[in-house]
Amino acid sequence: MVAGWFTEAEDEGFRLLGTRCSACASVFFPREDSFCRNPGCAGRELTEVPLSRRGRVWSYTDGRYRPPAPYVFDPEAVWQPYTLVAVELEAERMVVLGQAVPGVTTADLAVGMEVEVVPGVLNEEAGTTWTTWHWRPVEAGA
């Protein structure tokens, strides 16, 4: 399944998708389909590339407020804080922001800790599921 931002290809598992410029080899996420965002390159040929599944925590924080519209939420539900994680990808050395898996708090994280990208659910409504990615700590020795 390809959803524009990630893939669940059987041979590679769940991966974020970026693009690489064929002229300068710069990698972008979110993907870029029109032109190279490297200011020193005029390249326009970009290819889709799966990004590293693992990386290291670069920074993290918690969200203790209910985001305003257009964020989707049930106004009747009790608000649950969430954890945001900035992860430096293993091979690309770029930082990608995302939520931690549900249940992981800032107390569970440390700068430099290894994490992996996994599928997540953003919202479910009337038979429609909006998917996203989450960061999950890698168990020692895994």
mmCIF file with all atom_site columns, all heavy atoms in Angstrom, residues 52-65:
data_model
loop_
_atom_site.group_PDB
_atom_site.id
_atom_site.type_symbol
_atom_site.label_atom_id
_atom_site.label_alt_id
_atom_site.label_comp_id
_atom_site.label_asym_id
_atom_site.label_entity_id
_atom_site.label_seq_id
_atom_site.pdbx_PDB_ins_code
_atom_site.Cartn_x
_atom_site.Cartn_y
_atom_site.Cartn_z
_atom_site.occupancy
_atom_site.B_iso_or_equiv
_atom_site.pdbx_formal_charge
_atom_site.auth_seq_id
_atom_site.auth_comp_id
_atom_site.auth_asym_id
_atom_site.auth_atom_id
_atom_site.pdbx_PDB_model_num
ATOM 1   N N   . SER A 1 52 ? 14.999 5.414  6.106  1.00 0.00 ? 52 SER A N   1
ATOM 2   C CA  . SER A 1 52 ? 15.417 4.493  7.170  1.00 0.00 ? 52 SER A CA  1
ATOM 3   C C   . SER A 1 52 ? 14.257 4.194  8.105  1.00 0.00 ? 52 SER A C   1
ATOM 4   O O   . SER A 1 52 ? 13.475 5.087  8.438  1.00 0.00 ? 52 SER A O   1
ATOM 5   C CB  . SER A 1 52 ? 16.551 5.115  8.000  1.00 0.00 ? 52 SER A CB  1
ATOM 6   O OG  . SER A 1 52 ? 17.682 5.351  7.215  1.00 0.00 ? 52 SER A OG  1
ATOM 7   N N   . ARG A 1 53 ? 14.153 2.954  8.527  1.00 0.00 ? 53 ARG A N   1
ATOM 8   C CA  . ARG A 1 53 ? 13.109 2.572  9.481  1.00 0.00 ? 53 ARG A CA  1
ATOM 9   C C   . ARG A 1 53 ? 13.478 2.968  10.906 1.00 0.00 ? 53 ARG A C   1
ATOM 10  O O   . ARG A 1 53 ? 12.618 3.086  11.758 1.00 0.00 ? 53 ARG A O   1
ATOM 11  C CB  . ARG A 1 53 ? 12.871 1.064  9.421  1.00 0.00 ? 53 ARG A CB  1
ATOM 12  C CG  . ARG A 1 53 ? 12.222 0.657  8.107  1.00 0.00 ? 53 ARG A CG  1
ATOM 13  C CD  . ARG A 1 53 ? 12.010 -0.822 7.979  1.00 0.00 ? 53 ARG A CD  1
ATOM 14  N NE  . ARG A 1 53 ? 11.342 -1.361 9.142  1.00 0.00 ? 53 ARG A NE  1
ATOM 15  C CZ  . ARG A 1 53 ? 11.529 -2.587 9.607  1.00 0.00 ? 53 ARG A CZ  1
ATOM 16  N NH1 . ARG A 1 53 ? 12.370 -3.394 8.994  1.00 0.00 ? 53 ARG A NH1 1
ATOM 17  N NH2 . ARG A 1 53 ? 10.886 -3.015 10.654 1.00 0.00 ? 53 ARG A NH2 1
ATOM 18  N N   . ARG A 1 54 ? 14.763 3.145  11.150 1.00 0.00 ? 54 ARG A N   1
ATOM 19  C CA  . ARG A 1 54 ? 15.225 3.462  12.500 1.00 0.00 ? 54 ARG A CA  1
ATOM 20  C C   . ARG A 1 54 ? 16.016 4.756  12.523 1.00 0.00 ? 54 ARG A C   1
ATOM 21  O O   . ARG A 1 54 ? 16.547 5.201  11.522 1.00 0.00 ? 54 ARG A O   1
ATOM 22  C CB  . ARG A 1 54 ? 16.085 2.333  13.058 1.00 0.00 ? 54 ARG A CB  1
ATOM 23  C CG  . ARG A 1 54 ? 15.273 1.090  13.338 1.00 0.00 ? 54 ARG A CG  1
ATOM 24  C CD  . ARG A 1 54 ? 16.081 0.043  14.025 1.00 0.00 ? 54 ARG A CD  1
ATOM 25  N NE  . ARG A 1 54 ? 15.239 -1.086 14.393 1.00 0.00 ? 54 ARG A NE  1
ATOM 26  C CZ  . ARG A 1 54 ? 15.643 -2.083 15.125 1.00 0.00 ? 54 ARG A CZ  1
ATOM 27  N NH1 . ARG A 1 54 ? 16.887 -2.134 15.577 1.00 0.00 ? 54 ARG A NH1 1
ATOM 28  N NH2 . ARG A 1 54 ? 14.818 -3.060 15.424 1.00 0.00 ? 54 ARG A NH2 1
ATOM 29  N N   . GLY A 1 55 ? 16.074 5.317  13.721 1.00 0.00 ? 55 GLY A N   1
ATOM 30  C CA  . GLY A 1 55 ? 16.847 6.518  13.944 1.00 0.00 ? 55 GLY A CA  1
ATOM 31  C C   . GLY A 1 55 ? 17.045 6.716  15.432 1.00 0.00 ? 55 GLY A C   1
ATOM 32  O O   . GLY A 1 55 ? 16.732 5.833  16.244 1.00 0.00 ? 55 GLY A O   1
ATOM 33  N N   . ARG A 1 56 ? 17.563 7.879  15.799 1.00 0.00 ? 56 ARG A N   1
ATOM 34  C CA  . ARG A 1 56 ? 17.830 8.188  17.206 1.00 0.00 ? 56 ARG A CA  1
ATOM 35  C C   . ARG A 1 56 ? 17.084 9.458  17.598 1.00 0.00 ? 56 ARG A C   1
ATOM 36  O O   . ARG A 1 56 ? 16.983 10.397 16.808 1.00 0.00 ? 56 ARG A O   1
ATOM 37  C CB  . ARG A 1 56 ? 19.321 8.365  17.446 1.00 0.00 ? 56 ARG A CB  1
ATOM 38  C CG  . ARG A 1 56 ? 20.089 7.098  17.081 1.00 0.00 ? 56 ARG A CG  1
ATOM 39  C CD  . ARG A 1 56 ? 21.114 6.740  18.111 1.00 0.00 ? 56 ARG A CD  1
ATOM 40  N NE  . ARG A 1 56 ? 21.666 5.415  17.818 1.00 0.00 ? 56 ARG A NE  1
ATOM 41  C CZ  . ARG A 1 56 ? 21.448 4.362  18.581 1.00 0.00 ? 56 ARG A CZ  1
ATOM 42  N NH1 . ARG A 1 56 ? 20.719 4.456  19.662 1.00 0.00 ? 56 ARG A NH1 1
ATOM 43  N NH2 . ARG A 1 56 ? 21.987 3.201  18.273 1.00 0.00 ? 56 ARG A NH2 1
ATOM 44  N N   . VAL A 1 57 ? 16.574 9.450  18.824 1.00 0.00 ? 57 VAL A N   1
ATOM 45  C CA  . VAL A 1 57 ? 15.837 10.607 19.326 1.00 0.00 ? 57 VAL A CA  1
ATOM 46  C C   . VAL A 1 57 ? 16.768 11.812 19.326 1.00 0.00 ? 57 VAL A C   1
ATOM 47  O O   . VAL A 1 57 ? 17.846 11.783 19.911 1.00 0.00 ? 57 VAL A O   1
ATOM 48  C CB  . VAL A 1 57 ? 15.279 10.344 20.743 1.00 0.00 ? 57 VAL A CB  1
ATOM 49  C CG1 . VAL A 1 57 ? 14.665 11.612 21.323 1.00 0.00 ? 57 VAL A CG1 1
ATOM 50  C CG2 . VAL A 1 57 ? 14.265 9.209  20.721 1.00 0.00 ? 57 VAL A CG2 1
ATOM 51  N N   . TRP A 1 58 ? 16.352 12.851 18.649 1.00 0.00 ? 58 TRP A N   1
ATOM 52  C CA  . TRP A 1 58 ? 17.093 14.101 18.571 1.00 0.00 ? 58 TRP A CA  1
ATOM 53  C C   . TRP A 1 58 ? 16.553 15.074 19.619 1.00 0.00 ? 58 TRP A C   1
ATOM 54  O O   . TRP A 1 58 ? 17.298 15.807 20.249 1.00 0.00 ? 58 TRP A O   1
ATOM 55  C CB  . TRP A 1 58 ? 16.947 14.647 17.155 1.00 0.00 ? 58 TRP A CB  1
ATOM 56  C CG  . TRP A 1 58 ? 17.730 15.857 16.828 1.00 0.00 ? 58 TRP A CG  1
ATOM 57  C CD1 . TRP A 1 58 ? 19.074 15.926 16.557 1.00 0.00 ? 58 TRP A CD1 1
ATOM 58  C CD2 . TRP A 1 58 ? 17.236 17.188 16.705 1.00 0.00 ? 58 TRP A CD2 1
ATOM 59  N NE1 . TRP A 1 58 ? 19.431 17.213 16.277 1.00 0.00 ? 58 TRP A NE1 1
ATOM 60  C CE2 . TRP A 1 58 ? 18.307 18.014 16.359 1.00 0.00 ? 58 TRP A CE2 1
ATOM 61  C CE3 . TRP A 1 58 ? 15.971 17.751 16.839 1.00 0.00 ? 58 TRP A CE3 1
ATOM 62  C CZ2 . TRP A 1 58 ? 18.173 19.376 16.154 1.00 0.00 ? 58 TRP A CZ2 1
ATOM 63  C CZ3 . TRP A 1 58 ? 15.834 19.105 16.638 1.00 0.00 ? 58 TRP A CZ3 1
ATOM 64  C CH2 . TRP A 1 58 ? 16.930 19.900 16.303 1.00 0.00 ? 58 TRP A CH2 1
ATOM 65  N N   . SER A 1 59 ? 15.227 15.053 19.801 1.00 0.00 ? 59 SER A N   1
ATOM 66  C CA  . SER A 1 59 ? 14.558 15.876 20.804 1.00 0.00 ? 59 SER A CA  1
ATOM 67  C C   . SER A 1 59 ? 13.148 15.325 21.003 1.00 0.00 ? 59 SER A C   1
ATOM 68  O O   . SER A 1 59 ? 12.664 14.545 20.182 1.00 0.00 ? 59 SER A O   1
ATOM 69  C CB  . SER A 1 59 ? 14.487 17.332 20.336 1.00 0.00 ? 59 SER A CB  1
ATOM 70  O OG  . SER A 1 59 ? 13.930 18.150 21.347 1.00 0.00 ? 59 SER A OG  1
ATOM 71  N N   . TYR A 1 60 ? 12.493 15.741 22.076 1.00 0.00 ? 60 TYR A N   1
ATOM 72  C CA  . TYR A 1 60 ? 11.123 15.302 22.338 1.00 0.00 ? 60 TYR A CA  1
ATOM 73  C C   . TYR A 1 60 ? 10.443 16.267 23.295 1.00 0.00 ? 60 TYR A C   1
ATOM 74  O O   . TYR A 1 60 ? 11.099 17.035 24.005 1.00 0.00 ? 60 TYR A O   1
ATOM 75  C CB  . TYR A 1 60 ? 11.095 13.882 22.907 1.00 0.00 ? 60 TYR A CB  1
ATOM 76  C CG  . TYR A 1 60 ? 11.900 13.705 24.166 1.00 0.00 ? 60 TYR A CG  1
ATOM 77  C CD1 . TYR A 1 60 ? 11.314 13.854 25.420 1.00 0.00 ? 60 TYR A CD1 1
ATOM 78  C CD2 . TYR A 1 60 ? 13.256 13.409 24.103 1.00 0.00 ? 60 TYR A CD2 1
ATOM 79  C CE1 . TYR A 1 60 ? 12.064 13.699 26.575 1.00 0.00 ? 60 TYR A CE1 1
ATOM 80  C CE2 . TYR A 1 60 ? 14.010 13.251 25.252 1.00 0.00 ? 60 TYR A CE2 1
ATOM 81  C CZ  . TYR A 1 60 ? 13.408 13.396 26.484 1.00 0.00 ? 60 TYR A CZ  1
ATOM 82  O OH  . TYR A 1 60 ? 14.155 13.251 27.626 1.00 0.00 ? 60 TYR A OH  1
ATOM 83  N N   . THR A 1 61 ? 9.119  16.248 23.270 1.00 0.00 ? 61 THR A N   1
ATOM 84  C CA  . THR A 1 61 ? 8.323  17.082 24.165 1.00 0.00 ? 61 THR A CA  1
ATOM 85  C C   . THR A 1 61 ? 6.927  16.478 24.262 1.00 0.00 ? 61 THR A C   1
ATOM 86  O O   . THR A 1 61 ? 6.608  15.529 23.549 1.00 0.00 ? 61 THR A O   1
ATOM 87  C CB  . THR A 1 61 ? 8.252  18.543 23.671 1.00 0.00 ? 61 THR A CB  1
ATOM 88  O OG1 . THR A 1 61 ? 7.683  19.360 24.696 1.00 0.00 ? 61 THR A OG1 1
ATOM 89  C CG2 . THR A 1 61 ? 7.428  18.671 22.399 1.00 0.00 ? 61 THR A CG2 1
ATOM 90  N N   . ASP A 1 62 ? 6.106  17.036 25.127 1.00 0.00 ? 62 ASP A N   1
ATOM 91  C CA  . ASP A 1 62 ? 4.734  16.556 25.218 1.00 0.00 ? 62 ASP A CA  1
ATOM 92  C C   . ASP A 1 62 ? 3.766  17.661 24.825 1.00 0.00 ? 62 ASP A C   1
ATOM 93  O O   . ASP A 1 62 ? 4.045  18.839 24.967 1.00 0.00 ? 62 ASP A O   1
ATOM 94  C CB  . ASP A 1 62 ? 4.412  15.997 26.607 1.00 0.00 ? 62 ASP A CB  1
ATOM 95  C CG  . ASP A 1 62 ? 4.627  16.998 27.723 1.00 0.00 ? 62 ASP A CG  1
ATOM 96  O OD1 . ASP A 1 62 ? 5.163  18.085 27.473 1.00 0.00 ? 62 ASP A OD1 1
ATOM 97  O OD2 . ASP A 1 62 ? 4.261  16.682 28.857 1.00 0.00 ? 62 ASP A OD2 1
ATOM 98  N N   . GLY A 1 63 ? 2.641  17.237 24.269 1.00 0.00 ? 63 GLY A N   1
ATOM 99  C CA  . GLY A 1 63 ? 1.564  18.149 23.897 1.00 0.00 ? 63 GLY A CA  1
ATOM 100 C C   . GLY A 1 63 ? 0.487  18.061 24.963 1.00 0.00 ? 63 GLY A C   1
ATOM 101 O O   . GLY A 1 63 ? -0.184 17.043 25.071 1.00 0.00 ? 63 GLY A O   1
ATOM 102 N N   . ARG A 1 64 ? 0.322  19.105 25.732 1.00 0.00 ? 64 ARG A N   1
ATOM 103 C CA  . ARG A 1 64 ? -0.635 19.086 26.838 1.00 0.00 ? 64 ARG A CA  1
ATOM 104 C C   . ARG A 1 64 ? -1.836 19.982 26.575 1.00 0.00 ? 64 ARG A C   1
ATOM 105 O O   . ARG A 1 64 ? -2.485 20.430 27.497 1.00 0.00 ? 64 ARG A O   1
ATOM 106 C CB  . ARG A 1 64 ? 0.055  19.494 28.127 1.00 0.00 ? 64 ARG A CB  1
ATOM 107 C CG  . ARG A 1 64 ? 1.133  18.510 28.523 1.00 0.00 ? 64 ARG A CG  1
ATOM 108 C CD  . ARG A 1 64 ? 1.465  18.624 29.981 1.00 0.00 ? 64 ARG A CD  1
ATOM 109 N NE  . ARG A 1 64 ? 2.234  17.484 30.400 1.00 0.00 ? 64 ARG A NE  1
ATOM 110 C CZ  . ARG A 1 64 ? 1.712  16.404 30.959 1.00 0.00 ? 64 ARG A CZ  1
ATOM 111 N NH1 . ARG A 1 64 ? 0.431  16.329 31.162 1.00 0.00 ? 64 ARG A NH1 1
ATOM 112 N NH2 . ARG A 1 64 ? 2.471  15.400 31.316 1.00 0.00 ? 64 ARG A NH2 1
ATOM 113 N N   . TYR A 1 65 ? -2.095 20.258 25.316 1.00 0.00 ? 65 TYR A N   1
ATOM 114 C CA  . TYR A 1 65 ? -3.257 21.070 24.965 1.00 0.00 ? 65 TYR A CA  1
ATOM 115 C C   . TYR A 1 65 ? -4.007 20.396 23.824 1.00 0.00 ? 65 TYR A C   1
ATOM 116 O O   . TYR A 1 65 ? -3.439 19.648 23.048 1.00 0.00 ? 65 TYR A O   1
ATOM 117 C CB  . TYR A 1 65 ? -2.824 22.473 24.532 1.00 0.00 ? 65 TYR A CB  1
ATOM 118 C CG  . TYR A 1 65 ? -1.992 22.456 23.275 1.00 0.00 ? 65 TYR A CG  1
ATOM 119 C CD1 . TYR A 1 65 ? -2.594 22.609 22.029 1.00 0.00 ? 65 TYR A CD1 1
ATOM 120 C CD2 . TYR A 1 65 ? -0.620 22.241 23.319 1.00 0.00 ? 65 TYR A CD2 1
ATOM 121 C CE1 . TYR A 1 65 ? -1.838 22.559 20.869 1.00 0.00 ? 65 TYR A CE1 1
ATOM 122 C CE2 . TYR A 1 65 ? 0.137  22.194 22.163 1.00 0.00 ? 65 TYR A CE2 1
ATOM 123 C CZ  . TYR A 1 65 ? -0.482 22.363 20.947 1.00 0.00 ? 65 TYR A CZ  1
ATOM 124 O OH  . TYR A 1 65 ? 0.254  22.309 19.794 1.00 0.00 ? 65 TYR A OH  1
#
